[in-house]
Amino acid sequence: MKKLVVLTGAGMSAESGISTFRDSGGLWEQHRVEDVATIEGYIRDPELVINFYNERRRQLPTVQPCRGHELVAELEKWFDVTVVTQNVDDLHERAGSTNVIHLHGELMKATSTRSPNDPTQIQTLTPEHIDIHIGDKAADGSQLRPFIVWFGEAVPMIEQATEEAMKADIFVVIGTSLNVYPAAGLIQFVSPDVPVYLIDPKDVPWTSGHRYTHIKKGASAGMVELVEQLKNARA
Ligand code: OAD
């Protein structure tokens, strides 16, 4: 089977009802990124940041994967698929994708403030215990925090994602403004002869020299078209 790597961003989940960050009405118009999505912001006001992610997390049980997520999962019938997502929701998994790399963390997980990337400190939250509170402790005794990669922090999953991008036979980018590195830089690791598809209703600043086919549609309609276009590439 050919290896197909999909890089997704907030636009992937927009049709499920989760706000993107930089579109008009997006999250970064309502919240200051420096306050809620940086390590400095967390140190300054942990309660504000913990509550911001509690709100995002509480939204998850109220939303469903869209047709686009379902079609990404269906690609596993014909391809060896790896999804590399910048999203912290669990909609790819809930749609049935079995191989998902979360570059920016996962909303349904919590970890230790002292050693956020230590696997022994990471725990999965449950619908019954969906909020993190000030005073909740990780296994190492430090304050429990959201398992989110904030600006100013390392992106440990980028190594695995880079290896996948290098092995891709087909590369698909869905719903990301490609503003945030290192995620946006993954395209640089894709071989020059590999077909690259972009699904996004808008033009995206494309800094890589790699040629690409722009399917200028939303995630669901765009995935319907992509599945059609890939029919000949399935062998
Ligand atoms: P952005 O909000 O920057 O970009 C969203 C992209 O989705 C834009 O290119 C939109 O045109 C596109 N879009 C909007 N509606 C769509 C739809 N229905 N179908 C497909 N595409 C659609 O979101 P990201 O690029 O994901 O990181 O942002 C990257 C990172 O910045 C996030 O992971 C987050 C944020 O700050 C952290 O918080 C660390």
Side-chain angles (χ1 to χ4, degrees), residues 9-11 14-15 20-23 28 37 86-87 104 149 151 175-178 180 199-202 204 217-219:
E15 290 158 24
T20 63
F21 296 97
R22 297 178 182 80
D23 289 306
W28 295 157
Q86 298 166 83
N87 298 345
H104 294 163
V149 175
F151 290 102
T176 170
S177 65
L178 297 174
V180 175
I199 298 177
D200 200 300
K202 293 198 195 136
V204 169
K217 293 184 172 169

Side-chain angles (χ1 to χ4, degrees), residues 27 59 64 78 102 111 115 118 123 126 136 147 158 165 179-180 208 217 220-222 225:
L27 277 174
Q59 189 191 13
Q64 300 300 327
W78 308 292
H102 284 271
T111 189
S115 309
D118 175 349
Q123 52 176 271
T126 59
D136 289 351
F147 181 57
I158 196 67
N179 267 291
V180 175
S208 140
K217 293 184 172 169
S220 296
E225 187 167 328

Side-chain angles (χ1 to χ4, degrees), residues 148-174:
I148 299 288
V149 175
W150 289 315
F151 290 102
E153 293 194 298
V155 184
M157 296 309 284
I158 196 67
E159 278 182 34
Q160 207 184 320
T162 303
E163 279 172 30
E164 297 294 318
M166 288 165 75
K167 288 188 285 188
D169 297 306
I170 299 169
F171 196 78
V172 181
V173 180
I174 308 176

